[in-house]
Amino acid sequence: TGYLNAEDSAALDAELMSVPGFSLEQLMELAGLAVAEAVYAVVPPLDAPIDGKARKKVLLVCGPGNNGGDGLVAARHLVLFGYDCTVVYPKQSKKQHFINLKKQMEDVNVDILEEMPADAKEGKYDVIVDAIFGFSFKGEGGIREPFGSIIKDMVASQGKGDGDGTVIISVDVPSGWDVNGGDLTGAGFMPDVLISLTSPKMSAKKFVGRHFVGGRFLPPAIAKKYGVRMPPYKNVQQVWEA
């Protein structure tokens, strides 16, 4: 679908919110729904959870910015899709929209924690959604805490637990990666799945794993301007697997 660098990613987002008139809230809702659908595609929920057979467990780790907001939205949708969701939200935004998103999660009984649960790196979750940093992450000076330790815990969880272990799904850009250059901090983090929003970023060329694209809302004129080839989405799907 084409690859966007950091400058074009920021410019495209700004243009979406100025020319067609999308609000940040609209874009975040659409992005979060796409993330939830990608989780559904990779680790489907149980058809009918019953006593003795719990729902699939999803841990969503959310940063303080818009990437984290996408994760907060995804958590709400995933609960309604039939998952047991817990959110780790250490640096909570004081912006009203994020306060609203937190309340919406509470209304569907999502547990919200301020630090990683002790059992996260032991493979106790079917999925961990990495929604910490997005395309604005620079990485100068390394990864600030508590997120550096959280990323290490996510790496430790891969390949552990029942079945094939915890599946790590990163939102737009794997956290700690430079949007253009990839894992420049040397964190050694390679998620199992990447869900690129609007279009893959340059760093996605260095990603190895299942790759989804979400963003079925981009006006054709803006897509053409930034060299984005819209994926062949099927039916009502919000994501497409590359």
Side-chain angles (χ1 to χ4, degrees):
T1 64
Y3 293 87
L4 295 176
N5 60 30
E7 183 180 358
D8 286 345
S9 297
L12 188 153
D13 266 15
E15 197 161 338
L16 274 173
M17 289 185 281
S18 62
V19 179
F22 282 96
S23 67
L24 175 62
E25 291 82 359
Q26 281 180 294
L27 294 176
M28 201 170 284
E29 188 68 27
L30 290 165
L33 178 59
V35 171
E37 189 172 320
V39 173
Y40 190 100
V42 175
V43 183
L46 298 173
D47 289 334
I50 56 175
D51 292 342
K53 196 171 185 180
R55 293 170 180 258
K56 294 287 182 73
K57 296 181 66 175
V58 181
L59 182 70
L60 300 99
V61 188
C62 300
N66 294 344
N67 194 267
D70 297 342
L72 301 180
V73 171
R76 168 167 37 87
H77 286 294
L78 286 167
V79 168
L80 299 176
F81 288 176
Y83 296 85
D84 179 0
C85 291
T86 300
V87 166
V88 177
Y89 192 22
K91 302 288 186 181
Q92 301 185 13
S93 173
K94 294 181 172 58
K95 294 179 180 179
Q96 188 59 51
H97 178 55
F98 288 82
I99 294 171
N100 293 347
L101 291 177
K102 182 181 177 184
K103 177 62 166 61
Q104 291 162 17
M105 290 192 299
E106 291 169 344
D107 287 344
V108 293
N109 299 315
V110 173
D111 290 330
I112 303 171
L113 310 177
E114 293 188 358
E115 58 186 27
M116 284 289 274
D119 58 358
K121 58 185 177 182
E122 298 172 3
K124 299 300 184 182
Y125 292 87
D126 297 288
V127 179
I128 295 179
V129 175
D130 156 36
I132 302 173
F133 303 127
F135 63 74
S136 61
F137 177 79
K138 304 300 182 186
E140 294 93 344
I143 304 170
R144 67 183 183 272
E145 292 298 337
F147 300 114
S149 296
I150 287 173
I151 290 172
K152 290 178 182 177
D153 285 348
M154 289 195 293
V155 172
S157 75
Q158 289 178 290
K160 292 185 177 180
D162 298 330
D164 294 328
T166 299
V167 176
I168 310 294
I169 302 179
S170 286
V171 177
D172 207 22
V173 179
S175 289
W177 282 32
D178 177 84
V179 67
N180 294 331
D183 183 18
L184 300 183
T185 62
F189 177 43
M190 178 68 73
D192 304 288
V193 181
L194 176 65
I195 166 70
S196 294
L197 299 174
T198 307
S199 182
K201 311 307 183 285
M202 292 298 293
S203 58
K205 292 182 178 181
K206 299 184 177 182
F207 170 72
V208 179
R210 293 184 69 176
H211 188 190
F212 292 80
V213 178
R216 200 175 181 177
F217 52 80
L218 197 60
I222 291 183
K224 182 178 181 180
K225 177 177 178 178
Y226 291 93
V228 176
R229 298 186 302 276
M230 295 300 289
Y233 295 108
K234 295 181 179 180
N235 303 317
V236 297
Q237 292 178 341
Q238 299 300 306
V239 295
W240 171 77
E241 186 167 8

